[in-house]
Amino acid sequence: MAGETTAVTHIGINNQSDIHHSAGLTQVIVIVLMTLLLLTWLFFHADYVSEQEHIHYSQLLHDLRKAEANVDGEVLANRIALSRNYDALVVQIDKLTTISHQIINPPVFLSEKDSVKLIRQVNKVQLTVKAKIHLIDLFKRNNAILQNSLNYFHESSNTILDIKKNTSIIPLVESYVRHLMFFVQFPDQDSINDLQKTEQQLTFFSTQQNNQPVIKNLLQHGRIIQKYRLKVADQLREFLFLPSAIQQEELIRVYSQGHANALKVAEQYRMLLYMVAFLLTLYLAYTFIDLERTRRSLARAHREVSTRYQAQKQAEGLLKLHDTAFNSAHEGITLTDTDGNIITVNPAFTRITGYQQEEVIGRNPRVLKSGRHDIDFYRAMWRSILDTGNWRGEIWNKNKYGEIYPELLSITAVHDSNGDVSNYVAVFSDISLIKEQEQQLKKMAYYDALTKLPNRSLLTDRIIQAILQTQRSDVFMAICYLDLDGFKPVNDTYGHELGDSLLIEMSNRLQECLRGGDTVARIGGDEFVILLVGMDKIEEYELAMRRLMKAITQEFLIRGNSVMLTASIGVTLYPYDDCDAGTLLRHADQAMYQAKQKGKNCYHLFDPEKDTLARSQHERILRIENALKADELILYYQPKVNMRTGSVTGMEALIRWQHPERGLLSPIEFLPFIEEHELIVQVGNWVIETALTQLEDWHSSGLDFQVSVNIASLQLQQPDFVEGLKSAFARHPDFDAGRLELEVLETAALEDIVNVSRVIEECHELGVSFALDDFGTGYSSLTYLKRLPASTLKIDRSFVRDMLHDPGNLAIVHSILGLATAFQRHTIAEGAETQEHCRLLMQLGCQTVQGYIIAKPMPADKVLVWVKSWQADPSWKAYQKLYWSDADYPIFAAEVEHQSWITVLVHSVNENLPMTHKRVSDEYVCRFGQWYYGVGQQRYKLLSSFAQIEAPHRLAHKLAEKIEYYCQNGDFKSARELLPELLMQRDGILILLKQLSMDVALKLE
Amino acid sequence: MASRKILFIIIVIVITVSVLLVYQKNQPSNELQVQSTVLSSIKPYNSEQIQPLPVEMILPVEKVDLGRRLFNETGLSKDNTISCSSCHLLNKAGTDRRPVSIGVNGAAGLLNSPTVFNSAFNFAQFWDGRAATLEEQASGPIHNPVEMGSNWQEILTRLRADDGYQTLFKKIYQDGISVDNIVDAIATFERSLITPNSRFDQYLRGNKIALTEDEQQGYQYFKDYGCISCHQGINIGANMFQRFGVFDGYFNNKTISQSDLGRFNVTGIEEDRYVFKVPSLRNVAVTAPYFHDGSVSTLENAVMIMGRYQLGRELSEEDIRLLTAFLQSLTGQWQGKLLQ
């Protein structure tokens, strides 16, 4: 419905503008209701002409006519005796009456005018109907009477005519009857006249004839007939002339007109309704457009608001962030106004100063004044702020509890949009900790972190103080530069942690050795300086040194292993060495170096007079450099021979300095000075170069052997070492790289095992082999050995030299050889001094040997000659084709052991020394005996040489016992008498052992 | 928003209401009156002068029962002594067998009570036909001071006070106890009082031996003498007015009372003087005394007077005997028994 949409539209529109006023709402309701009413009214009128009503009324009008027609019909039927009772007539009249009553209510849709017209007409009709009904009523009566009389007249006249057949009355009666009948048929005036004439005649005659009742009756009925016939005729005429048809037609017409008028009106209302609906639709469309527009603008506004809201939210977020920053900052923040009064502070402020926010708001920060700063300080602060807008610095403030603490404070002036100062912002942090740390650092500046000993700076300070002090009095002081020997390997072996604890322990021990005014300082990794002051006698310092040495060399227990360290100490005495603190330290350092050179584990006093080291290191180096340049350096060569093959395998190049003044200097007299200097690299390169040249030279002479060149550790650590080799080979293209062997000290190699291994491998790729020199002297683990891919191990001379007499050394040599076998390395024994050495070495399995027994180092030009003339010692022949299994080693061990044991005994006896060594034991229990009666028995019992040993062995023991016995009793003489026999026995054993060894020897094929 | 919702609801209600109103307006409020079952038995253009009564009347039972109760309700009279049945006793053929009826306080009426039986077939009620329907007729005795001497207001009050009547009325009529409903109930009851199956009706239906020879002869005289011209139709009369004394003289020697004027009392027309409703001759044998004033107590006498003043005939004794015999046969059956 139109009404509904309008209502909705109105709601839509009005709700947009109506925000919160209920008055607006009432307005809406009113408008809506009114519109609805209008539309309803219009529709009501448009639909006014009810079809049903029209039909109903039309039907009524129709029924009226029908009823009337029926009534007419019945009346006529009764008149002509078609209907012989009045029931039907009554019914029809009833119907007619009813309908005529019903039509009085015109249909509602008729206009006032038309209604009135209609009603008027209806009234007319009703009157007519009433009249009709009345007439009919009369007719009923009259007709009944008429019929009755007609019936009787008929009968009566017949009777008379029959009775009075031949009387004279008959013609009159006949005439009367005829006329009456005629009259009944045609009741007009003429027939009445005629009838009345006849009637008169008959009446007259009747009275003449004594008024016979029959005639009287006839006349009576005749008169009734006349009367009622006329009545009926009149009534019928009246009845028929009633204008009911016309009236009814008029009624219908009036009604139709009214109906048509009403329809027209309804049509008009419909048009109106349509127009209204049309207008409403337009309005609706307009409203929708407006709505859309509004909606769009609303959306726009919403978007705007949204954006603004977003921005605000962002700002809020930022604000929150700032707030968070403010509140969670670790530094205290104070916000003041232009007068410096606090507006707000953050929680950190409270944390640092102890003041809650409420306690300081409105107050000035000067409540924090500590009193440590003078007024100028604050003035300067504020001047800075006013001039530059900020101030930053350290300030001492007082917190709530009265404690003074340092602050790192920064004050900034905040300006508003006009450029005027609006606030001051102070940001500060409590730097108590920092200050503490400063102190700590200051402290640390003077003390070593690990050992807490004074460091170099403090030491220098102390030395200066001590110098002043010593100058004042008649005493001297000692500056001792202490370097721990072999600390590095320990560090490597046991780790830095334990190394550190070792250092701490060491420093403790050192401190314990000192007196009050003395100082021990740590100035390097394993370097200490001890300052001894206030001594008058030399002995004092010597004692101190001995004490120190003792303390140092005491065992350290590390992880259950005992480690022994030694130290090299260089000492200089002031005022004998009259220099400044720095120079004194240097001299001490030099002296320490000397001590190291002397073999470590000792102390060396700096001799200012002698001063072989007076020359500065630099001068020395220069000197050597010159020597190098001036070709004062030369190479000597010591041959290495293979005892089995009896051939010279190679040469070891050894550097010599042909010093113009001092003569031929061995390496130890100049190399140590440059070992830490890069000059060593140049020297090393020269050595290689020279060696290569020399080899080439020899090669061209037909000599084809390998040369070993010593390489210093510094040279080996050079990053371009291998490159240098390559270029050297490039310079000597004929030289076969495989002929070059580089010897590095085992100890040197261990210093930087990773790099050294790499270099060795790189050299391997070139073909150059490596040998570990002085093998066995370094504190190395077997892991290192595994890792160093040196192809040759050179058994240090120290082991080889004494291996004939020292079972320990023999064991070392044996084990080195074993190691070498296990790791598949070559071996060469250094320091072979006798043929016995050679023999034993061969027997132990060492083929190659280098030593004085073979040749001393010789200059290059002597080499050729020597090589040509050298021959293998004949004693070697016996052993060249033999080798011994490891299981036979105890034979050799036994040899050496016996030698040593008896030698010691003999020595003691000869020297009248008390028997300090272990008592010689039973021949079964002594080491040899253990072997002999144990493994030896199992292995060698079948051998005669083995069996024969028993007797002299036992005898030897017996003799030894006797000798011991004598010695214990002081009877050295008797002891001495037994010696020759003992020796004889010993020799016998040795010969037998030798024989045994030959017996068990395996043949080389 | 709540206000929005309220507004919406209001709109909806307004729309609904207006729609309903508009729709309602289009319903036809007039309903045609229900055709009376009575008159549906009347045939048009009927050459038969007399028809037998219908065997039964189809009427709503509850209304009939209520009507019967009301018919017997003395509360309809002023002093609670007179009911409809006081003058129209069903066991006295619907009359009181008195020349005139006795009303409240023993007041004598003016006219003889016509029988209530077959009154449904009267074209009008009362001797002067002033009531067109039975419903209209009921008001008459009620308000007549010499009959029931009451008024509707009083009766309504009385009936409304009775719970029984309240329930009964409420059951049948939506609007309960009202004048229209009271008369409707009474009229419905009265319509049920028909006496079909008189021997004459049986004869008319085809049973030629229902009437004796005398009765048949009487019927013939009834027709020939013209009695039948006024006493015709289904109720053997009661469908027209006629002057009492067509042939002058009935009222000549009498003192004329108001009631003697008959229809003139209603219409005022001169022609309607001495005009009365032609009474029904059914059950005439048992509804003495006769004529409007109940002045004639025998049927023979009535026949004689009718003959003389209506037909202008002096009927012989034989004629009268036969006619009377015929009139006897017009008595019908009520509740299966011949009316007494």
Side-chain angles (χ1 to χ4, degrees):
Chain A
M1 265 218 320
E4 207 163 1
T5 27
T6 317
V8 170
T9 314
H10 272 284
I11 294 169
I13 293 166
N14 283 304
N15 265 354
Q16 281 179 23
S17 53
D18 170 22
I19 307 163
H20 44 254
H21 292 290
S22 60
L25 190 66
T26 320
Q27 220 178 22
V28 169
I29 293 172
V30 166
I31 291 171
V32 165
L33 285 175
M34 278 176 56
T35 317
L36 278 178
L37 277 165
L38 170 70
L39 286 170
T40 312
W41 182 76
L42 281 175
F43 178 72
F44 192 74
H45 281 283
D47 204 31
Y48 203 48
V49 180
S50 160
E51 192 66 16
Q52 266 179 316
E53 270 201 36
H54 168 65
I55 288 170
H56 175 67
Y57 198 77
S58 302
Q59 189 65 41
L60 276 178
L61 293 181
H62 172 78
D63 287 344
L64 184 73
R65 289 187 85 170
K66 201 167 82 171
E68 187 127 6
N70 286 341
V71 163
D72 292 349
E74 275 299 326
V75 165
L76 288 172
N78 271 303
R79 177 73 188 83
I80 59 172
L82 183 63
S83 252
R84 299 183 70 195
N85 68 63
Y86 294 124
D87 285 339
L89 183 58
V90 163
V91 165
Q92 294 304 335
I93 288 171
D94 264 348
K95 273 206 197 132
L96 182 63
T97 318
T98 311
I99 294 169
S100 72
H101 284 142
Q102 285 177 341
I103 59 170
I104 192 64
N105 294 317
V108 189
F109 57 75
L110 288 180
S111 70
E112 192 71 44
K113 209 169 69 170
D114 288 332
S115 260
V116 163
K117 254 210 226 159
L118 187 74
I119 289 170
R120 227 183 296 140
Q121 191 61 27
V122 167
N123 284 336
K124 280 197 203 152
V125 168
Q126 280 182 336
L127 279 172
T128 310
V129 166
K130 242 193 229 147
K132 190 175 247 182
I133 291 168
H134 179 66
L135 280 168
I136 290 166
D137 194 48
L138 291 171
F139 165 78
K140 279 196 290 194
R141 292 183 228 164
N142 298 334
N143 195 43
I145 296 167
L146 179 65
Q147 292 292 16
N148 270 350
S149 286
L150 273 172
N151 274 355
Y152 185 69
F153 189 81
H154 200 67
E155 189 200 310
S156 171
S157 61
N158 278 345
T159 314
I160 292 174
L161 288 169
D162 282 342
I163 296 173
K164 307 276 179 191
K165 233 187 197 144
N166 298 312
T167 56
S168 52
I169 208 164
I170 296 301
L172 278 171
V173 169
E174 272 182 8
S175 169
Y176 182 62
V177 167
R178 248 190 287 125
H179 276 104
L180 190 63
M181 290 299 112
F182 191 76
F183 162 74
V184 165
Q185 197 76 350
F186 303 106
D188 56 27
Q189 195 58 44
D190 287 332
S191 49
I192 291 172
N193 292 341
D194 289 343
L195 180 65
Q196 280 183 341
K197 235 188 273 175
T198 328
E199 193 186 63
Q200 273 173 350
Q201 284 174 349
L202 189 59
T203 314
F204 182 70
F205 192 80
S206 169
T207 48
Q208 296 271 332
Q209 300 277 342
N210 302 329
N211 282 339
Q212 281 166 11
V214 172
I215 307 293
K216 207 163 142 191
N217 234 358
L218 189 76
L219 284 166
Q220 199 180 25
H221 279 283
R223 260 180 251 128
I224 293 287
I225 289 169
Q226 268 186 67
K227 181 171 164 190
Y228 281 93
R229 178 70 184 81
L230 284 170
K231 271 200 180 156
V232 166
D234 281 337
Q235 276 155 13
L236 278 178
R237 199 183 308 121
E238 222 183 301
F239 178 82
L240 287 170
F241 279 123
L242 282 174
S244 45
I246 298 168
Q247 279 179 342
Q248 286 198 7
E249 263 185 45
E250 181 64 20
L251 181 66
I252 287 168
R253 196 193 63 80
V254 166
Y255 172 69
S256 298
Q257 187 68 47
H259 178 242
N261 289 345
L263 278 175
K264 222 181 289 171
V265 167
E267 179 80 24
Q268 285 171 346
Y269 275 109
R270 259 207 301 284
M271 282 308 297
L272 207 63
L273 183 69
Y274 174 71
M275 267 169 45
V276 170
F278 188 77
L279 286 172
L280 285 174
T281 312
L282 285 177
Y283 184 59
L284 185 75
Y286 161 75
T287 311
F288 270 125
I289 293 166
D290 198 36
L291 191 77
E292 184 61 27
R293 229 184 294 141
T294 316
R295 188 196 68 79
R296 241 179 270 150
S297 75
L298 191 73
R300 223 179 307 128
H302 173 78
R303 246 178 286 134
E304 235 179 74
V305 168
S306 233
T307 328
R308 233 176 271 168
Y309 178 71
Q310 287 300 328
Q312 184 167 321
K313 265 234 121 47
Q314 260 187 343
E316 263 181 38
L318 207 64
L319 206 72
K320 245 197 200 108
L321 207 67
H322 289 155
D323 190 51
T324 312
F326 186 74
N327 283 327
S328 52
H330 186 73
E331 291 76 13
I333 305 174
T334 316
L335 218 71
T336 70
D337 59 16
T338 47
D339 294 327
N341 295 320
I342 294 174
I343 299 173
T344 182
V345 296
N346 72 345
F349 178 95
T350 309
R351 194 194 79 239
I352 295 171
T353 64
Y355 289 103
Q356 294 292 328
Q357 200 181 50
E358 308 83 68
E359 292 173 305
V360 290
I361 285 183
R363 299 169 69 180
N364 195 287
R366 65 175 77 97
V367 299
L368 301 169
K369 263 208 186 127
S370 66
R372 274 214 193 173
H373 304 281
D374 57 10
I375 196 154
D376 289 327
F377 175 83
Y378 293 107
R379 272 215 201 105
M381 179 202 286
W382 280 106
R383 200 172 308 123
S384 167
I385 294 169
L386 290 169
D387 290 344
T388 64
N390 58 32
W391 176 87
R392 185 185 162 88
E394 286 182 19
I395 188 172
W396 290 88
N397 272 340
K398 189 166 65 179
N399 68 13
K400 185 175 176 185
Y401 312 107
E403 296 164 350
I404 297 177
Y405 66 96
E407 268 183 21
L408 182 62
L409 174 64
S410 162
I411 305 177
T412 311
V414 176
H415 300 274
D416 60 15
S417 47
N418 296 332
D420 302 326
V421 174
S422 58
N423 303 92
Y424 292 106
V425 179
V427 180
F428 61 93
S429 50
D430 185 339
I431 52 171
S432 314
L433 201 66
I434 295 173
K435 281 258 178 255
E436 245 179 65
Q437 283 169 352
E438 265 179 33
Q439 297 290 11
Q440 282 264 29
L441 281 169
K442 275 207 189 111
K443 246 198 195 161
M444 282 177 73
Y446 287 124
Y447 290 91
D448 171 56
L450 178 68
T451 58
K452 308 287 187 279
L453 296 174
N455 62 5
R456 191 187 281 269
S457 326
L458 188 57
L459 174 72
T460 315
D461 222 34
R462 294 237 179 125
I463 293 173
I464 293 167
Q465 301 290 337
I467 288 171
L468 290 169
Q469 228 183 9
T470 312
Q471 278 174 347
R472 274 186 243 124
S473 53
D474 192 22
V475 291
F476 70 93
M477 62 189 233
I479 297 112
C480 317
Y481 205 109
L482 199 152
D483 187 297
L484 294 173
D485 306 323
F487 178 74
K488 253 207 191 80
V490 172
N491 218 16
D492 289 338
T493 310
Y494 296 102
H496 287 268
E497 221 179 276
L498 282 155
D500 285 349
S501 52
L502 207 151
L503 285 170
I504 294 170
E505 173 73 23
M506 179 62 77
S507 47
N508 288 340
R509 287 191 194 174
L510 293 173
Q511 279 182 315
E512 278 166 24
C513 298
L514 304 178
R515 304 161 302 168
D518 299 333
T519 308
V520 86
R522 182 173 174 228
I523 55 172
D526 58 351
E527 292 170 340
F528 296 84
V529 170
I530 299 160
L531 182 65
L532 305 165
V533 297
M535 299 182 287
D536 353 294
K537 300 199 271 281
I538 291 286
E539 288 77 26
E540 271 183 63
Y541 120 83
E542 281 177 348
L543 198 65
M545 296 314 295
R546 273 205 287 277
R547 247 199 337 263
L548 281 170
M549 294 300 289
K550 195 160 178 210
I552 290 162
T553 53
Q554 249 177 14
E555 276 180 13
F556 292 91
L557 219 65
I558 300 180
R559 288 213 208 108
N561 301 326
S562 80
V563 175
M564 198 184 82
L565 288 175
T566 59
S568 308
I569 311 179
V571 188
T572 184
L573 303 173
Y574 179 89
Y576 305 112
D577 186 4
D578 185 15
C579 311
D580 59 35
T583 317
L584 285 170
L585 274 171
R586 232 177 336 107
H587 288 172
D589 183 26
Q590 285 168 2
M592 185 274 296
Y593 188 74
Q594 289 277 35
K596 281 239 191 267
Q597 292 299 317
K598 266 178 21 190
K600 306 180 189 172
N601 197 15
C602 61
Y603 67 88
H604 182 87
L605 184 64
F606 178 77
D607 189 350
E609 284 156 27
K610 223 187 188 168
D611 198 19
T612 46
L613 305 170
R615 288 185 180 180
S616 70
Q617 191 75 347
H618 185 66
E619 278 176 26
R620 229 172 272 135
I621 290 165
L622 274 174
R623 187 70 191 85
I624 296 166
E625 198 175 343
N626 287 335
L628 177 65
K629 286 198 191 123
D631 286 332
E632 289 173 12
L633 303 174
I634 51 172
L635 283 182
Y636 270 40
Y637 297 91
Q638 188 177 29
K640 300 185 267 191
V641 302
N642 187 326
M643 293 184 284
R644 280 202 194 279
T645 60
S647 59
V648 179
T649 57
M651 296 282 162
E652 183 180 343
L654 299 160
I655 192 170
R656 296 283 184 269
W657 184 3
Q658 191 68 275
H659 197 279
E661 283 119 39
R662 291 160 63 189
L664 192 68
L665 299 175
S666 68
I668 204 161
E669 288 177 281
F670 61 94
L671 277 188
F673 300 124
I674 60 170
E675 225 149 48
E676 305 294 314
H677 194 269
E678 62 167 2
L679 188 58
I680 194 74
V681 178
Q682 286 177 30
V683 171
N685 287 337
W686 173 87
V687 168
I688 291 168
E689 188 64 37
T690 313
L692 289 180
T693 316
Q694 189 59 63
L695 263 177
E696 266 188 336
D697 198 28
W698 284 334
H699 189 70
S700 60
S701 307
L703 287 177
D704 183 25
F705 39 64
Q706 156 251 51
V707 72
S708 303
V709 170
N710 285 292
I711 302 294
S713 71
L714 186 68
Q715 191 178 2
L716 199 61
Q717 282 165 25
Q718 293 303 308
D720 60 351
F721 175 72
V722 182
E723 285 305 311
L725 276 180
K726 280 191 194 152
S727 49
F729 291 141
R731 281 194 293 277
H732 302 272
D734 288 337
F735 181 77
D736 179 10
R739 290 276 173 269
L740 181 64
E741 189 183 72
L742 303 174
E743 290 187 15
V744 289
L745 289 179
E746 185 196 5
T747 48
L750 293 172
E751 271 175 32
D752 190 1
I753 199 163
V754 174
N755 261 337
V756 170
S757 319
R758 189 177 46 79
V759 168
I760 293 172
E761 277 181 19
E762 279 176 34
C763 290
H764 275 167
E765 281 168 33
L766 292 174
V768 175
S769 56
F770 267 77
L772 291 178
D773 204 1
D774 293 357
F775 192 81
T777 58
Y779 292 104
S780 61
S781 69
L782 295 175
T783 323
Y784 287 153
L785 176 61
K786 181 181 79 170
R787 284 211 238 144
L788 284 173
S791 38
T792 309
L793 308 177
K794 294 186 79 168
I795 307 171
D796 192 55
R797 66 191 69 237
S798 60
F799 307 123
V800 174
R801 213 175 27 215
D802 293 329
M803 73 186 222
L804 292 169
H805 303 285
D806 189 345
N809 279 355
L810 178 72
I812 288 170
V813 172
H814 175 67
S815 61
I816 290 171
L817 288 167
L819 269 177
T821 313
F823 285 100
Q824 292 172 322
R825 313 288 167 93
H826 297 294
T827 49
I828 171 168
E830 286 180 317
E833 289 168 354
T834 65
Q835 290 303 336
E836 281 299 308
H837 281 102
C838 295
R839 174 194 61 82
L840 191 53
L841 282 168
M842 267 202 287
Q843 282 183 312
L844 289 175
C846 178
Q847 291 179 320
T848 323
V849 80
Q850 179 183 345
Y852 285 179
I853 193 61
I854 309 298
K856 285 197 173 107
M858 64 191 86
D861 47 12
K862 297 256 171 58
V863 167
L864 273 168
V865 173
W866 182 88
V867 167
K868 280 204 178 94
S869 62
W870 180 80
Q871 275 175 347
D873 193 276
S875 64
W876 295 358
K877 255 204 177 68
Y879 304 98
Q880 275 175 346
K881 293 239 181 336
L882 299 173
Y883 71 97
W884 285 261
S885 83
D886 220 35
D888 299 329
Y889 166 75
I891 299 170
F892 307 117
E895 233 185 271
V896 171
E897 230 183 77
H898 260 291
Q899 287 268 45
S900 88
W901 161 58
I902 287 171
T903 308
V904 167
L905 187 65
V906 165
H907 177 73
S908 313
V909 170
N910 282 337
E911 300 293 316
N912 297 336
L913 290 172
M915 294 285 178
T916 52
H917 63 269
K918 260 197 318 200
R919 267 202 56 126
V920 172
S921 48
D922 191 83
E923 72 260 28
Y924 295 100
V925 181
C926 82
R927 254 205 290 232
F928 180 77
Q930 281 180 8
W931 170 75
Y932 188 82
Y933 294 105
V935 176
Q937 195 75 274
Q938 282 178 6
R939 210 173 145 77
Y940 305 114
K941 66 175 174 214
L942 293 173
L943 294 167
S944 59
S945 52
F946 182 76
Q948 285 169 26
I949 291 170
E950 190 181 9
H953 179 242
R954 191 178 294 133
L955 209 53
H957 269 277
K958 287 248 170 9
L959 283 169
E961 258 183 71
K962 275 203 192 125
I963 290 168
E964 267 183 13
Y965 178 70
Y966 288 139
C967 284
Q968 269 182 339
N969 295 339
D971 189 2
F972 289 103
K973 190 166 170 277
S974 309
R976 243 174 288 189
E977 279 168 17
L978 291 173
L979 279 180
E981 201 185 337
L982 180 68
L983 286 167
M984 202 176 70
Q985 294 304 322
R986 183 203 67 183
D987 290 338
I989 295 168
L990 285 173
I991 290 163
L992 281 168
L993 280 173
K994 269 206 187 80
Q995 186 60 49
L996 178 63
S997 72
M998 295 308 283
D999 287 341
V1000 302
L1002 302 162
K1003 295 236 175 4
L1004 266 176
E1005 288 310 325
Chain B
M1 284 187 283
S3 55
R4 238 199 195 163
K5 269 199 202 139
I6 294 167
L7 184 69
F8 186 67
I9 291 165
I10 291 170
I11 302 297
V12 170
I13 290 169
V14 167
I15 291 166
T16 318
V17 166
S18 39
V19 166
L20 284 172
L21 279 174
V22 167
Y23 183 66
Q24 272 289 56
K25 177 201 67 110
N26 282 335
Q27 298 279 17
S29 51
N30 302 335
E31 291 199 26
L32 293 172
Q33 277 185 334
V34 176
Q35 285 262 337
S36 166
T37 49
V38 171
L39 299 174
S40 59
S41 41
I42 307 300
K43 291 187 276 221
Y45 309 130
N46 196 353
S47 53
E48 279 304 315
Q49 286 168 298
I50 302 177
Q51 286 141 263
L53 284 173
V55 181
E56 61 174 351
M57 297 291 277
I58 311 296
L59 295 165
V61 175
E62 285 171 345
K63 266 195 200 175
V64 168
D65 287 340
L66 177 61
R68 180 184 298 113
R69 194 162 153 183
L70 288 165
F71 194 80
N72 295 316
E73 181 58 61
T74 53
L76 297 182
S77 62
K78 182 183 176 126
D79 58 356
N80 211 349
T81 53
I82 309 293
S83 66
C84 306
S85 59
S86 307
C87 304
H88 300 281
L89 294 117
L90 296 189
N91 59 1
K92 290 199 175 151
T95 66
D96 56 3
R97 304 268 171 79
R98 290 180 202 272
V100 290
S101 306
I102 307 295
V104 291
N105 305 320
L110 300 168
L111 291 164
N112 177 253
S113 303
T115 178
V116 73
F117 282 106
N118 306 319
S119 57
F121 294 99
N122 296 349
F123 88 129
Q125 310 296 338
F126 297 119
W127 283 106
D128 56 8
R130 63 177 182 276
T133 62
L134 287 171
E135 286 83 355
E136 279 181 46
Q137 184 275 337
S139 268
I142 282 169
H143 291 92
N144 196 330
V146 299
E147 294 179 15
M148 293 160 107
S150 181
N151 59 64
W152 281 124
Q153 210 48 50
E154 217 173 81
I155 288 162
L156 282 173
T157 316
R158 246 183 238 158
L159 290 182
R160 281 182 185 151
D162 186 317
D163 288 328
Y165 273 121
Q166 286 275 23
T167 329
L168 282 169
F169 269 94
K170 272 271 154 46
K171 261 206 322 197
I172 301 161
Y173 301 102
Q174 269 186 335
D175 46 346
I177 301 172
S178 72
V179 174
D180 287 338
N181 294 343
I182 293 169
V183 299
D184 179 72
I186 294 172
T188 310
F189 169 67
E190 286 168 350
R191 287 198 183 91
S192 73
L193 301 174
I194 57 167
T195 60
N197 298 325
S198 62
R199 284 189 292 110
F200 179 59
D201 278 355
Q202 290 173 35
Y203 178 80
L204 286 175
R205 289 188 198 278
N207 184 3
K208 298 300 170 198
I209 56 167
L211 290 181
T212 64
E213 291 251 359
D214 284 350
E215 286 159 352
Q216 284 186 33
Q217 186 62 43
Y219 178 44
Q220 193 61 45
Y221 284 157
F222 192 78
K223 283 195 281 192
D224 290 343
Y225 292 152
C227 312
I228 207 168
S229 30
C230 294
H231 293 281
Q232 35 67 44
I234 195 168
N235 216 6
I236 314 178
N239 61 3
M240 59 184 282
F241 294 112
Q242 189 56 275
R243 180 172 294 115
F244 194 5
V246 173
F247 291 86
D248 324 280
Y250 182 75
F251 287 106
N252 288 348
N253 303 323
K254 292 199 175 68
T255 30
I256 297 166
S257 61
Q258 185 75 24
S259 51
D260 289 332
L261 295 174
R263 191 109 176 102
F264 179 79
N265 289 330
V266 177
T267 61
I269 302 172
E270 198 53 46
E271 285 207 338
D272 287 343
R273 201 181 277 269
Y274 312 130
V275 172
F276 295 93
K277 181 184 81 187
V278 173
S280 164
L281 289 184
R282 289 192 180 278
N283 305 315
V284 70
V286 292
T287 56
Y290 306 107
F291 303 135
H292 68 283
D293 49 6
S295 55
V296 177
S297 50
T298 64
L299 198 55
E300 288 80 354
N301 232 6
V303 169
M304 190 270 291
I305 288 170
M306 283 280 111
R308 183 183 295 160
Y309 291 104
Q310 299 298 105
L311 303 173
R313 282 181 192 258
E314 286 300 327
L315 296 169
S316 65
E317 292 228 353
E318 183 63 14
D319 295 341
I320 290 170
R321 186 184 73 82
L322 291 170
L323 283 166
T324 311
F326 166 68
L327 292 175
Q328 300 270 11
S329 75
L330 301 180
T331 309
Q333 289 177 351
W334 166 243
Q335 289 177 341
K337 287 199 300 220
L338 209 61
L339 203 64
Q340 303 301 316

